Amino acid sequence: MKISVIITTYNGSRWIAAALDSVLAQTLAPAEIIVINDGSTDDTAHVIARYAPRVQCIDQPNAGISAARNRGILCATGDALAFFDDDDIWLPQKLARQAALLDAHAEVGVVFCNHQNFEHETGTILLESDNVKQQQLASRPAAIPEAYVLQPQSQFAGTLDDNYALPSTLMVRADVLRQVGLFDTSLSYGEDWQMLLRLALVTQIGYCSDILLRRRIRTNSLSSHGKDDRDLLRALETLPNFAPLPASSRAEWEDMCAALGVSAAYYSRKSGDRAAARKYLATALKRGRLIGGRRYDWRSVMNGLREVVSLSLGRS
């Protein structure tokens, strides 16, 4: 199997060398390593240049992470694509373990793995990902140790519940990725969740339960800042533009849109946009079950429900 590694970076000169070193240390060497330098203004380009010709660097004006990933996808020639953020670190067996699962299971089109969070400044381990939930979703053990294949009838619902796969944990067959299309560049947040949902609709998902990724947590990184549910709602509402929803999944999709809509009303009201809050609430109440549906961030939902009373009474 020919593997293409796609790394996106923006002003990553302080940590991209560690990321590249971890790719080059893989026990299964990738066929190509493509770095999309998304308009960095620091010394990133010079750091990457030290790795030539083993690493191909493509420079582009700053366009955001989705556009950078898409550029990498269009340039890649591999049978499988592995995405990698510039501040993460792979363990040496990452590519080998995931490629083995894909080789053993032709029905699986995407594989993710367990991960560990660590604090950038001190190296302190913050979290070892809980893989119990993913194993509960698994229909059966895979043909290789410590690996699973998710149930096709429940994996979409499970992905609605939680964006359990970080981009740096993913390996995707190129033909499956061509089927679902590129990342949605209209989204500033939630584009990775939307992509995973699109994949869940067309292929089976595999999971390696051993920790194969170390995820760096930085105070100023995008992932370390809280994002409100208006972003996630946009990601979910646009999902049918990319993949038709089967009838069996539409009710669950509507339920999640409804819950996120109530939460979006809360955040709109919090930011002073009462008109948007009313619109979100009206749509959510028409859309699906707020009680008795799937699992949500109930604190945000209950905050939103309080807005129903407040807005209906006309309070500021």
Side-chain angles (χ1 to χ4, degrees), residues 150-171:
L150 303 192
Q151 298 176 5
Q153 66 269 27
S154 64
Q155 66 180 15
F156 180 78
T159 309
L160 271 177
D161 278 346
D162 183 24
N163 183 15
Y164 48 75
L166 301 171
S168 289
T169 70
L170 294 177
M171 181 183 288

Side-chain angles (χ1 to χ4, degrees), residues 45-267:
H46 292 95
V47 176
I48 299 170
R50 299 202 301 261
Y51 291 85
R54 296 172 295 173
V55 174
Q56 175 188 0
C57 182
I58 299 173
D59 296 309
Q60 68 176 29
N62 182 256
I65 193 167
S66 290
R69 286 181 182 142
N70 290 344
R71 181 81 179 273
I73 291 168
L74 295 173
C75 293
T77 61
D79 305 307
L81 280 59
F83 297 100
F84 199 23
D85 291 343
D86 63 354
D87 54 353
D88 292 334
I89 298 172
W90 281 343
L91 273 67
Q93 291 283 336
K94 197 267 187 187
L95 295 183
R97 292 277 292 131
Q98 293 187 311
L101 199 156
L102 290 179
D103 284 338
H105 291 273
E107 75 277 15
V108 172
V110 56
V111 182
F112 68 102
C113 65
N114 203 348
H115 72 277
Q116 177 188 84
N117 291 343
F118 72 98
E119 205 272 330
H120 167 62
E121 283 78 13
T122 65
T124 302
I125 295 173
L126 302 176
L127 170 71
E128 293 200 8
S129 176
D130 180 5
N131 62 29
V132 173
K133 175 167 48 183
Q134 290 92 327
Q135 291 186 18
Q136 287 173 343
L137 288 170
S139 62
R140 64 189 188 280
I144 64 172
E146 303 302 321
Y148 304 84
V149 178
L150 303 192
Q151 298 176 5
Q153 66 269 27
S154 64
Q155 66 180 15
F156 180 78
T159 309
L160 271 177
D161 278 346
D162 183 24
N163 183 15
Y164 48 75
L166 301 171
S168 289
T169 70
L170 294 177
M171 181 183 288
V172 188
R173 294 188 194 273
D175 57 347
V176 172
L177 198 55
R178 284 192 291 268
Q179 184 179 353
V180 301
L182 300 172
F183 284 90
D184 186 350
T185 57
S186 72
L187 300 173
S188 59
Y189 184 71
E191 78 291 334
D192 52 342
W193 182 45
Q194 186 204 72
M195 174 59 77
L196 192 62
L197 286 165
R198 286 152 61 184
L199 290 166
L201 288 171
V202 302
T203 190
Q204 284 192 252
I205 298 174
Y207 170 59
C208 295
S209 62
D210 34 0
I211 293 174
L212 300 173
L213 168 74
R214 297 192 71 222
R215 180 194 188 200
R216 188 187 308 269
I217 301 299
R218 298 180 284 115
T219 55
N220 63 341
S221 67
L222 180 62
S223 59
S224 68
H225 292 291
K227 294 290 180 178
D228 69 52
D229 285 343
R230 290 174 291 187
D231 297 302
L232 295 179
L233 179 59
R234 284 191 290 271
L236 194 57
E237 285 184 326
T238 54
L239 178 64
N241 297 341
F242 297 92
L245 291 173
S248 58
S249 300
R250 180 161 287 276
E252 292 167 324
W253 174 79
E254 291 278 9
D255 286 348
M256 184 59 84
C257 285
L260 287 174
V262 173
S263 183
Y266 164 72
Y267 284 106

